[in-house]
Amino acid sequence: MVLIKEISPSYGFIVGNVLGRPYAAPIFMFCMEVGIVYSRRSQWDIMVKRGITLFLLGILVNVFEFFLPYYVCGTLLGSWDIFPIAGGLLLFCVDILAFAGLSFILMGILKKFELSNKKLIVIALLMSIIGSLLRGTDLGIPVLNLIFGNFIGTAGGFTAFPLFNWFIFPIAGYIWGQYFIRAKDKGEFFEFWYILLILSILYFIISTNHWGGVLSDDVHLYYFLNTLDAVFCIINAHAVIGLCYFIMKYLPDAVIKAFSILSSNINRIYIAQWLFIPLAVIFISYLFKDLVLTDLVSSIIAIAMLLLSTVCAIYYKKLRTKQ
């Protein structure tokens, strides 16, 4: 098997606990609804249909992420326990695409009733508080934990992004986008981004060290984050977008175009990567049994997976366009 003990603790913490947590899903979910403000296809029924599609895509990703590696790993390495599928229950594991699907469905329903922003904020806060209070709930039956895991953070390891805990991010992004699109001076809109960035980083550090926060080694404190954590993740999202806006002024057009390509293909890249990453781990273990995954080797593999997933996503998009 491939040895991973050479990966330094600092590398694992920065990539996994920092970049992979407050600087990943919260910002993605926030920006997801900012895009709705700019979209011409934001009618409530279209959002509901898109939500159903995303939810089904989430199940497809589970096939790539769990089931396919399970059979390949068992057949190739004779190790059926490296990618356990929990008796088939992981087919319905609640990951970010499943959340995105439910979020679009709920947003579509709320848009149909034309609720004010104040009412949307109240709904999001109430859902977040309820999700905070119910996180870790064990209903005693794996199937029930799986079903309700779509909405609250249940026990059993089948849920990453329950709707009640995370819906506050799409709502925040949706309202933020309404102000941003009307802002005449974008620079002024982001005037205090650096102060907010420092403030949010300090909160992440203090909360993690004293009562367990989104950077904690307990992954459920992130996946089932509480309302206060969510609020500071939203502050951080605004700050990070402000930082990107500031940096963008100094980037060449080619770099901006590259990021635009990544952005416009983000769902396809996400789906493709969960086909390639598990299979890459298996084949590397099979072909290079003595390989040690150092920080450098891990980074090279990660970049290769991103490039491969991006190429496949772009090719698939062109193929669909021709059809």
Side-chain angles (χ1 to χ4, degrees):
M1 292 298 294
V2 174
L3 301 177
I4 61 173
K5 62 182 180 181
E6 293 297 322
I7 294 180
S8 64
S10 58
Y11 177 91
F13 180 80
I14 292 172
V15 173
N17 294 41
V18 180
L19 297 180
R21 293 192 187 175
Y23 293 92
I27 296 177
F28 169 76
M29 294 173 182
F30 184 89
C31 293
M32 183 174 68
E33 294 301 324
V34 174
I36 291 298
V37 177
Y38 283 84
S39 175
R40 296 178 181 178
R41 295 173 55 82
S42 60
Q43 298 87 343
W44 75 270
D45 55 332
I46 293 178
M47 292 186 67
V48 171
K49 291 176 183 177
R50 186 178 179 187
I52 294 172
T53 300
L54 287 172
F55 190 86
L56 295 176
L57 284 175
I59 296 177
L60 177 63
V61 168
N62 290 340
V63 174
F64 292 160
E65 186 177 354
F66 301 115
F67 280 75
L68 186 59
Y70 172 77
Y71 287 104
V72 173
C73 192
T75 304
L76 203 60
L77 302 177
S79 302
W80 296 90
D81 57 341
I82 295 180
F83 290 92
I85 57 177
L89 288 178
L90 281 180
L91 178 63
F92 301 100
C93 179
V94 183
D95 212 327
I96 197 163
L97 276 183
F99 163 80
L102 292 175
S103 177
F104 267 91
I105 292 172
L106 182 53
M107 279 295 296
I109 294 172
L110 294 176
K111 283 199 71 174
K112 178 174 174 56
F113 290 101
E114 299 181 350
L115 299 180
S116 67
N117 285 344
K118 290 181 179 180
K119 291 181 179 179
L120 292 177
I121 292 173
V122 170
I123 291 172
L125 285 174
L126 285 176
M127 290 178 64
S128 177
I129 293 170
I130 292 172
S132 301
L133 295 175
L134 295 180
R135 64 182 182 179
T137 298
D138 189 352
L139 299 174
I141 302 175
V143 174
L144 288 180
N145 282 338
L146 183 63
I147 294 172
F148 284 94
N150 286 281
F151 307 101
I152 60 173
T154 54
F158 300 122
T159 301
F161 302 103
L163 182 67
F164 273 57
N165 298 73
W166 290 86
F167 189 63
I168 191 171
F169 293 101
I171 288 294
Y174 177 69
I175 296 173
W176 183 93
Q178 294 176 37
Y179 285 95
F180 182 70
I181 198 173
R182 295 197 300 264
K184 296 180 180 179
D185 188 340
K186 306 300 185 185
E188 185 179 354
F189 187 83
F190 292 118
E191 185 176 4
F192 301 106
W193 67 266
Y194 52 92
I195 296 176
L196 296 177
L197 184 63
I198 295 172
L199 180 65
S200 58
I201 290 174
L202 286 175
Y203 171 79
F204 295 148
I205 295 172
I206 293 171
S207 62
T208 299
N209 288 336
H210 288 83
W211 59 85
V214 295
L215 304 182
S216 170
D217 288 333
D218 184 352
V219 70
H220 288 97
L221 293 177
Y222 166 67
Y223 285 138
F224 307 157
L225 82 177
N226 62 36
T227 305
L228 188 59
D229 288 340
V231 169
F232 276 93
C233 282
I234 291 169
I235 293 172
N236 182 68
H238 172 82
V240 169
I241 297 172
L243 173 61
C244 293
Y245 178 81
F246 175 77
I247 294 175
M248 188 179 69
K249 299 176 183 179
Y250 304 97
L251 294 177
D253 291 340
V255 175
I256 295 176
K257 183 178 180 180
F259 279 112
S260 297
I261 292 173
L262 291 173
S263 177
S264 61
N265 289 281
I266 189 167
N267 283 345
R268 299 179 190 88
I269 294 172
Y270 178 82
I271 294 170
Q273 72 173 10
W274 280 119
L275 169 63
F276 294 123
I277 291 175
L279 294 181
V281 171
I282 295 170
F283 285 115
I284 290 173
S285 300
Y286 179 73
L287 297 173
F288 307 99
K289 293 183 173 60
D290 297 325
L291 177 67
V292 177
L293 291 184
T294 61
D295 296 355
L296 178 60
V297 173
S298 300
S299 299
I300 292 173
I301 293 174
I303 293 171
M305 291 297 100
L306 174 61
L307 292 175
L308 180 60
S309 300
T310 302
V311 169
C312 289
I314 294 173
Y315 176 77
Y316 176 78
K317 184 178 181 179
K318 289 183 178 179
L319 190 64
R320 285 292 301 271
T321 302
K322 289 181 180 179
Q323 292 178 347

